[in-house]
């Protein structure tokens, strides 16, 4: 079970860390997404920091299991909020969102199964 936990957690952490970098370097993609969802562009760095914190928390969960659990829960909540932002403006392009959300749910599931059962 550890191999599955480690693989999913590391994959998720790398995914969210790379997304955080895209948000934090000022790339146009997150800015365009904020415009589409009618959210302030000033929130882009905040979302980048949240994604980076989630990635670091997932990795930290190898040493402090509760930290990993809280990070995984937080990422699930983050992406549920993203879904609400999509739906609020009538966006039906949810492919990227679904990939990120499913990854966060998988990270939460393996964390719960490995540490808490």
């Amino acid at each position: 079970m550890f191999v599955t936990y480690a693989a999913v957690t590391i994959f998720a952490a790398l995914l969210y860390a790379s997304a955080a970098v895209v948000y934090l370097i000022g790339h146009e993609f997150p800015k365009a997404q904020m415009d589409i969802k009618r959210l302030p562009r000033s929130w882009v760095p905040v979302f980048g920091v949240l994604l980076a914190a989630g990635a670091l928390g997932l990795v930290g969960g190898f040493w402090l299991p509760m930290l990993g659990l809280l990070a995984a829960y937080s990422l699930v909540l983050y992406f549920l909020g993203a879904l609400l932002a999509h739906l609020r403006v009538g966006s039906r392009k949810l492919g990227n969102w679904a990939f990120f959300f499913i990854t966060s749910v998988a990270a939460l599931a393996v964390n719960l199964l490995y540490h808490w059962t």
Side-chain angles (χ1 to χ4, degrees), residues 3-13 58 103 106-108 110:
V3 173
T4 303
Y5 163 68
V8 170
T9 300
I10 291 168
F11 175 77
L58 289 175
T103 304
L108 176 59
V110 296

Side-chain angles (χ1 to χ4, degrees), residues 7-32:
V8 170
T9 300
I10 291 168
F11 175 77
L14 289 172
L15 178 68
Y16 301 129
S18 65
V21 168
V22 170
Y23 273 70
L24 293 171
I25 66 171
H27 194 276
E28 282 302 312
F29 179 75
K31 293 176 187 175

Side-chain angles (χ1 to χ4, degrees), residues 1-77:
M1 181 63 197
F2 176 77
V3 173
T4 303
Y5 163 68
V8 170
T9 300
I10 291 168
F11 175 77
L14 289 172
L15 178 68
Y16 301 129
S18 65
V21 168
V22 170
Y23 273 70
L24 293 171
I25 66 171
H27 194 276
E28 282 302 312
F29 179 75
K31 293 176 187 175
Q33 290 299 308
M34 298 301 266
D35 292 343
I36 290 167
K37 292 168 188 72
R38 298 192 307 259
L39 296 170
R41 282 187 172 198
S42 62
W43 291 6
V44 170
V46 174
F47 290 147
V49 168
L50 291 173
L51 288 166
L56 289 172
L58 289 175
V59 172
F62 285 111
W63 294 274
L64 296 169
M66 185 58 73
L67 178 62
L69 179 66
L70 292 173
Y73 269 122
S74 298
L75 286 164
V76 169
L77 292 174

Side-chain angles (χ1 to χ4, degrees), residues 52-114:
L56 289 172
L58 289 175
V59 172
F62 285 111
W63 294 274
L64 296 169
M66 185 58 73
L67 178 62
L69 179 66
L70 292 173
Y73 269 122
S74 298
L75 286 164
V76 169
L77 292 174
Y78 176 93
F79 289 106
L80 287 174
L83 175 63
L84 293 176
H86 277 275
L87 297 177
R88 182 177 63 90
V89 297
S91 172
R92 300 293 184 250
K93 296 180 180 177
L94 299 173
N96 288 340
W97 170 84
F99 179 70
F100 278 82
F101 179 70
I102 290 168
T103 304
S104 69
V105 170
L108 176 59
V110 296
N111 189 302
L112 286 170
L113 289 171
Y114 182 71

